Amino acid sequence: MFRPSIIKKRLVNLTANELNEMGITTLLLDVDNTLSTHHSQTPLEGVVSWLDEMKKQGIGLFLVSNAKEKRVAPFAKQLGIGYFSLCKKPLPFGVLRAIKRLNVPKSSVLLCGDQLFTDMPAGRLAGIKTLLVEPAQLESGWTFRVRRRLEKPLLRRYHQKENVQ
C-alpha cells in the first residue's frame, strides 16, 4: 500500500523519457514539499523549467493537494496548471476526481508526492503508479514529525532496493 512505484530525490530528476517508457502521459502533483516548501508560493529551484519541459513533451500536469483552496489556487495559477484542493489523501477520491476531469486512462497517470502515508496510498487506492520524492523541507508540526518518524524504517527498506536518483 505504501510502496512507491518509483523513488527520486527530487521531482525534477524525473525525465520525459522515463515517463514515456512507463506509458505515462499525465502527472498528478502534490504541492507542499514536492513543488515548493510547505506554505510557500515560490516553486523549488528548477521546478518551473521542469514543468515547462514536461508541457513541451506533451505531459499533462494537474495539482492534487490536501491543502486549502487559498493555498493551492494561487500556486496553480502561477504555474498555469489545473488543481483540486482538499483532496483528503490518503483517500483516493481527489485523485480519482482528477483522473475523471482529465479524462485519461489510469494506466497513463503517475501521482507524485513526498509523503509515504498520504500520497502513496491515495495513488495505490486509485489504481495508479506513484512516485515518492524526498521532502524539500521537514515540517515542524507534531503530526508531520510523527509521520516522518514512522516512515523512516519503510523508507530505509525501499531505498535499499531502489537506485534512487
Side-chain angles (χ1 to χ4, degrees), residues 1 12 26 39 43 71 75 93 112 127 136 164:
M1 181 62 60
V12 297
T26 305
H39 297 300
R71 159 74 176 120
F75 195 78
F93 307 116
C112 308
V164 180

Side-chain angles (χ1 to χ4, degrees), residues 106-123:
K106 288 181 182 182
S107 61
S108 71
V109 179
L110 179 70
L111 174 63
C112 308
D114 70 300
Q115 290 195 45
L116 200 60
F117 296 141
T118 56
D119 299 313
M120 300 307 105

Side-chain angles (χ1 to χ4, degrees), residues 132-152:
L132 180 69
V133 298
E134 291 181 10
Q137 179 181 46
L138 292 178
E139 306 86 344
S140 59
W142 72 270
T143 59
F144 285 108
R145 288 194 312 267
V146 168
R147 271 187 267 164
R148 295 295 184 194
R149 181 166 289 178
L150 293 172
E151 287 177 348
K152 281 185 181 183

